[in-house]
Amino acid sequence: MTKRIAILGFLLESNAFAPLTTREDYERRCLIGGEDILDELAKPNPRLPLEANAFCQQMEKLRPDAWAPVPILIGDAEPGGPVEHEFFQWFVAEVERRLKEAGPVDGVYIISHGAMRAERENDPDGLLYGRVRDIVGPEVPILATLDLHTNISREMSDQADVLIAYLTNPHVDQRERAGEAARAMDEMFKGMKPQTAFVKVPIAAPSVVLLSAEGPYADIINAGQAAQEASGGKILNVSVAAGFIYSDSPKCGMTVVVTARDDLEAARALAGDLAERLWADHERYQKALTPLADAVGMAVANGKDASRSAQILADVADNPGGGGTGSTIYLLKGLVEAGADGVVMGIVIDGGVADDAHAAGEGATFTARFNRSPKTTFEEAFEVEAEVLKLTDGSFVGRRGILRGRALTVGPAALLRIGGVCVAVGTFRKQCADPAMLEMFGVDIAEVRTVVVKSRGHFRAGFDEYFPPEQVIEVDCPGLTSPVFSNFEWGDLCRPVFPLDQDTTWKLPPW
Ligand SMILES: [Zn+2]
């Protein structure tokens, strides 16, 4: 029998300290409804989240000619501040309207990030799931995929039948997780009843210690996957969500969600075991960064001494992928003033400077005036003579890592030379996670002595062909996404939480 499956998505990673996210931010990246979703899916590089295509492809494999997508509404924006109230209200109402108009559906797939905050709502993801549940009723499967940095609430877990979070950081398994959601939904059509156990653990770790290749987080992810593997099919999914502390929300912290096939006790036993292991390891969720002056010194040395390995410096505190403005100039100014050579830096987001470079033209020299209209206290003004090396419209297709295959833009963009530092300047926020973002300016990364990226960690999956982990330096600068938590004035954050509150204690609560 043909199953009609509603497909919707509302994604945002909210940094509570960043400027509000607006309708314009969604329109710039992806705000697509109804049949237009299917048209977009048919394109070679859709603007939709990767999950949309992967879910449909998997469902097509499982149920050829026995399912029909019911496209509702998908909104995706670059991580930013809480979503603006009126747009949030509109989006939820629009989902409700389209879902009601679509008539009865047999399943709902929700593509979420899970760390959204709205201007007046602490748990917008939970609210959305609840509204969808109210419309489709208790019997229709609702499955959601989530980013690894999701802040999962009890409400989200209660309203959805299955939650599936990414397992990789940098995130390269969106397609696999969406495929997993399709398989789980198909099993539910055949009678499987998922049973979920949910445990919060008070660790809100800096994103720089939440890599899935090695370290404490890799260990717990691997433990979860091994247990699932060993369960003889009892366990459907294990998600150990890292959380996103900058949402400054009561639902921050790490979350273990285990879903078992028909067996609540099995889900609880494994979730409890993993949560206790996670807490036993909490001391490892801390990391020291490289001071700015030391990082600048390394870049100067790299420029002078060709026998040294090239390095990539990550400006982890100003990551547009975590809500950062992408416009702080601590590293740029430090490198220029120290006379560093052979440096390429990107992408500094400053539409004014990009416009001025376009007005000046390639080959011209002009005064680049950074941060003329700052939105945060971190955006120090900086005036400096710059030569325009290359102008572009900022459009690129991701080549490696998390952006692979996606058509994206940073808006009007320019590569400028300031002393020995070449800096790529763009207009729209986008973390520099893919070499294509520098290559579009004609940069040959293999020739660069020091690359500087505005990115917290996703650059690792893009730039790893040039920079193995030992050539990666995480730099301690001020900024909206600083891993130094004492830099922030927290408001709604769940407390106590480790490592911010070093004396945090925890015990597994009774079910
Ligand atoms: Zn993430």
Side-chain angles (χ1 to χ4, degrees):
M1 204 182 83
T2 294
K3 298 290 188 190
R4 301 180 74 236
I5 302 172
I7 296 172
L8 62 108
F10 195 17
L11 297 89
L12 182 67
E13 182 179 80
S14 289
N15 181 319
F17 305 96
L20 291 179
T21 298
T22 63
R23 171 186 286 270
E24 207 186 1
D25 293 314
Y26 277 91
E27 284 172 345
R28 188 170 295 136
R29 181 141 150 192
C30 172
L31 182 60
I32 304 178
E35 295 295 316
D36 291 350
I37 292 175
L38 302 181
D39 293 345
E40 189 70 23
L41 280 174
K43 294 179 183 170
N45 297 302
R47 292 161 63 217
L48 297 161
L50 298 169
E51 289 91 333
N53 217 342
F55 180 88
C56 293
Q57 284 172 356
Q58 183 63 48
M59 201 46 95
E60 191 62 38
K61 268 190 213 160
L62 293 165
R63 310 184 62 85
D65 306 318
W67 82 290
V70 179
I72 303 291
L73 183 63
I74 298 179
D76 185 15
E78 188 72 13
V83 65
E84 183 265 324
H85 176 66
E86 266 168 38
F87 176 70
F88 176 68
Q89 299 277 91
W90 173 84
F91 193 100
V92 174
E94 190 66 7
V95 166
E96 293 178 289
R97 182 184 71 77
R98 286 175 182 267
L99 201 50
K100 283 178 190 158
E101 274 181 22
V105 293
D106 301 290
V108 181
Y109 173 47
I110 307 178
I111 309 165
S112 292
H113 181 289
M116 181 187 284
R117 277 193 71 161
E119 203 179 353
R120 299 187 204 163
E121 176 60 51
N122 257 336
D123 184 16
D125 297 288
L127 181 148
L128 177 70
Y129 294 10
R131 297 287 181 87
V132 171
R133 177 60 78 197
D134 288 346
I135 294 170
V136 301
E139 301 303 324
V140 169
I142 299 178
L143 286 83
T145 45
L146 296 159
D147 194 275
L148 172 144
H149 298 104
T150 174
N151 297 316
I152 302 178
S153 64
R154 169 75 64 180
E155 179 75 359
M156 289 160 70
S157 176
D158 286 350
Q159 298 292 355
D161 293 284
V162 185
L163 297 176
I164 298 175
Y166 303 162
L167 297 172
T168 59
N169 183 23
H171 311 326
V172 291
D173 64 333
Q174 290 95 332
R175 294 172 180 86
E176 286 84 352
R177 301 289 76 77
E180 192 180 336
R183 288 194 297 276
M185 188 179 288
D186 192 48
E187 280 191 50
M188 289 185 72
F189 291 152
K190 291 167 180 156
M192 186 270 292
K193 298 245 179 285
Q195 301 290 338
T196 298
F198 164 101
V199 193
K200 276 278 185 210
V201 179
I203 302 172
S207 300
V208 289
V209 294
L210 294 168
L211 299 173
S212 56
E214 56 174 8
Y217 193 52
D219 294 347
I220 193 73
I221 295 248
N222 293 338
Q225 292 308 295
Q228 180 179 337
E229 187 81 8
S231 74
K234 249 187 209 162
I235 302 297
L236 177 73
N237 176 269
V238 177
S239 292
V240 183
F244 187 66
I245 188 172
Y246 308 100
S247 295
D248 191 20
S249 156
K251 62 174 187 148
C252 287
M254 295 180 79
T255 317
V256 179
V257 181
V258 174
T259 308
R261 293 179 171 91
D262 307 289
D263 186 342
L264 183 59
E265 283 314 307
R268 285 180 172 173
L270 179 54
D273 177 48
L274 288 171
E276 284 178 331
R277 280 205 216 189
L278 177 57
W279 179 252
D281 230 9
H282 69 273
E283 292 280 353
R284 290 173 70 202
Y285 286 87
Q286 312 181 79
K287 191 172 188 183
L289 304 179
T290 301
L292 173 60
D294 294 1
V296 168
M298 289 174 184
V300 170
N302 290 346
K304 286 187 177 144
D305 180 357
S307 69
R308 284 172 60 100
S309 295
Q311 285 175 312
I312 188 163
L313 311 185
D315 190 355
V316 295
D318 187 29
N319 169 27
T325 56
S327 50
T328 70
I329 45 85
Y330 302 102
L331 263 162
L332 174 62
K333 198 173 160 199
L335 291 163
V336 167
E337 289 177 355
D341 263 325
V343 179
V344 173
M345 177 173 189
I347 304 263
V348 172
I349 305 304
D350 195 317
V353 172
D355 286 348
D356 288 352
H358 277 258
E362 282 183 6
T365 298
F366 74 112
T367 304
R369 294 186 294 133
F370 289 93
N371 291 327
R372 271 167 278 176
S373 36
K375 294 192 192 74
T376 69
T377 53
F378 300 112
E379 296 159 283
E380 188 191 339
F382 182 43
E383 275 195 27
V384 64
E385 288 305 292
E387 180 190 352
V388 183
L389 297 181
K390 178 82 181 168
L391 299 172
T392 83
D393 68 357
S395 302
F396 66 99
V397 174
R399 181 166 80 73
R400 289 174 59 76
I402 65 160
L403 304 180
R404 179 168 61 91
R406 283 187 84 173
L408 297 159
T409 183
V410 296
L415 184 69
L416 309 178
R417 175 159 38 219
I418 303 170
V421 178
C422 292
V423 56
V425 180
T427 301
F428 306 137
R429 294 183 313 112
K430 167 85 20 216
Q431 77 170 301
C432 191
D434 193 309
M437 295 175 73
L438 299 178
E439 289 161 353
M440 71 173 155
F441 299 98
V443 170
D444 179 357
I445 292 162
E447 297 293 313
V448 180
R449 300 295 300 138
T450 304
V451 170
V452 184
V453 284
K454 295 269 188 191
S455 174
R456 182 272 313 160
H458 288 324
F459 69 89
R460 290 170 183 267
F463 287 86
D464 57 347
E465 61 181 350
Y466 302 105
F467 302 100
E470 62 273 19
Q471 287 164 247
V472 173
I473 307 296
E474 293 162 332
V475 187
D476 185 6
C477 295
L480 281 177
T481 59
S482 168
V484 183
F485 294 154
S486 52
N487 290 346
F488 295 83
E489 278 191 36
W490 301 100
D492 297 329
L493 185 66
C494 54
R495 303 292 286 267
V497 70
F498 188 85
L500 187 60
D501 303 307
Q502 288 279 322
D503 54 358
T504 306
T505 58
W506 180 79
K507 259 174 69 181
L508 183 67
W511 296 103

